[in-house]
Structures are given as C-alpha cells and as structure tokens.
Amino acid sequence: EVQLVESGGGLVQPGRSLRLSCAASGFTFDDYAMHWVRQAPGKGLEWVSGIGWNSGYIGYADSVKGRFTISRDNAKNYLYLEMNSLRGEDTAFYYCGKGQSSVAAAPVDFWGQGILVTVSS
Amino acid sequence: DIQMTQSPSSLSASVGDRLNITCRASQGIRNHLAWFQQKPGKAPKSLIYAVSSLQSGVPSKFSGSGSGTDFTLTISSLQPEDFATYYCQQYQSYPFTFGGGTKVEIK
C-alpha cells in the first residue's frame, strides 16, 4: 500500500526557515518523480515544486523560487522541502505527491494527507 | 508560465445530472492535462491523467476529453459522493499550474 507521510510543519515566524519531510513507503521510491503542492486556507491548489527520480529536472513555482529547495534521499525513501525566508503568504497545507512515472513531466497519482505550515509572528 | 482557466467556478446540480467542467490552457499543452477531486478537509484525489486516462480505481462515470488548449471533465450521473471541488492541472512544463477549481454543490 502506497503511503506518504508529511512531517515538520507548524508555526514559524516570518523570515525564519522550516524543513518539511515526506516519508514514502509501499512503492519503489527511486522509480518515481515527486512533488510538493500547497493549499492556503480556503483557497485552491498551488503546485510548489517537483523533482525527477534521480534529483534531476527540478522546478519551482515563481512564488517560491530562490527561497524553497526540494531534494530527495532515495536511500532513505524521503522527500524534503527546505523553506527559507518564509512569508505570511506561505501559510498553507503542504501536500507531498507521488509522480505517475520517473519523469518529472507526469502528474501526481497519489497524495499524502498534508501538513499545516503557519507563518505568523 | 502556462495559465489554466476553469469554468464555471461553481455550480449547483442534482443527483443524476450529467456534468461538464471545462479547462482552458493559455497555450497548447498536448495531452499533458490531469484532473483532481477534493472534498472538504481532505487531500486531493487523482482522477484522470493524459486528458482521458482514468487513474486506477476511478469509476467510469468520470471521463475526460479535449486537445491542445481546451479540455472537459464529464461526470455522467452525479452521485452524492461526487459533490466536491474539481481542479485541472497542466504538466506540460514547469511550473505546473492548476486551474482555479470548480465547486460542485447540491441543488
């Protein structure tokens, strides 16, 4: 059974950093691209970042480029999102998503339950 | 960046209705179009990829069509469990982008 479990969320002050983790199980992790998608309270879905199976073909939303860094550890079956210089508008539920294939140009086919990040003083 | 525009943003429908939701891309995206369903307080669920291919376990009452820039999600006979918000997404090129969503409510 595919499982994606996010961790590392919580309350953080503006300007500070936070690292989200996503533990993957139930599939061959290094066969698939992975993504982060977020949703501000009461708003729609926003794709944040994606990474290919071998950490190639990395992309970011314009809203986070230069502040967020996606990475993965295929030996540990973990996906990460390092978030720096956090702003109030980064407040959202963050979802980890499994890509449909190894290539990053493939949609999410399975989602984690999400974790809340709140940026506030 | 490729912009995705969904319409309508919300609609009211009855059980048994046939429903169409449209999604338009600001430029051609070939067949790199997916649809997702989200219920309140829950993670999204993947429904369709490559315009018209159903994800595993998705019932056949859902179907997708279109090409180039114009796409449609159809629900053939709306059931109570289908009342949710639906999103399209292009994955032709980074940054992947979602439509604004269509909230389907009970009439």
Side-chain angles (χ1 to χ4, degrees), chain A residues 1-118:
Chain A
E1 177 191 8
V2 174
Q3 285 198 329
L4 298 171
V5 180
E6 300 94 341
S7 60
L11 175 63
V12 61
Q13 293 180 327
R16 303 299 291 266
S17 299
L18 203 62
R19 186 175 84 155
L20 301 183
S21 300
C22 172
S25 61
F27 64 102
T28 305
F29 183 69
D30 57 7
D31 275 353
Y32 295 92
M34 297 293 294
H35 299 271
W36 289 100
V37 174
R38 71 183 180 183
Q39 185 171 38
K43 302 297 184 182
L45 300 175
E46 180 186 19
W47 177 85
V48 173
S49 183
I51 185 169
W53 67 276
N54 63 350
S55 298
Y57 197 53
I58 287 175
Y60 299 96
D62 294 343
S63 58
V64 307
K65 197 174 295 183
R67 300 188 299 122
F68 289 12
T69 302
I70 191 171
S71 62
R72 64 189 296 162
D73 185 333
N74 286 346
K76 295 181 178 179
N77 290 356
Y78 267 83
L79 175 72
Y80 302 103
L81 186 68
E82 185 75 35
M83 304 185 292
N84 299 321
S85 303
L86 283 162
R87 307 166 179 167
E89 54 265 37
D90 297 317
T91 295
F93 283 93
Y94 285 74
Y95 296 99
C96 167
K98 170 186 166 292
Q100 184 122 10
S101 73
S102 61
V103 298
V108 169
D109 65 356
F110 188 85
W111 300 72
Q113 284 307 296
I115 194 159
L116 180 61
V117 172
T118 303

Side-chain angles (χ1 to χ4, degrees), chain B residues 8 11 26 72 74 99:
Chain B
L11 63 90
S26 60
T72 301
T74 299

Side-chain angles (χ1 to χ4, degrees), chain B residues 33-55:
Chain B
L33 190 283
W35 290 96
F36 304 91
Q37 176 194 65
Q38 188 180 34
K39 297 180 180 179
K42 300 294 187 182
K45 176 185 176 182
S46 300
L47 295 178
I48 286 172
Y49 66 99
V51 177
S52 59
S53 297
L54 293 181
Q55 292 285 359

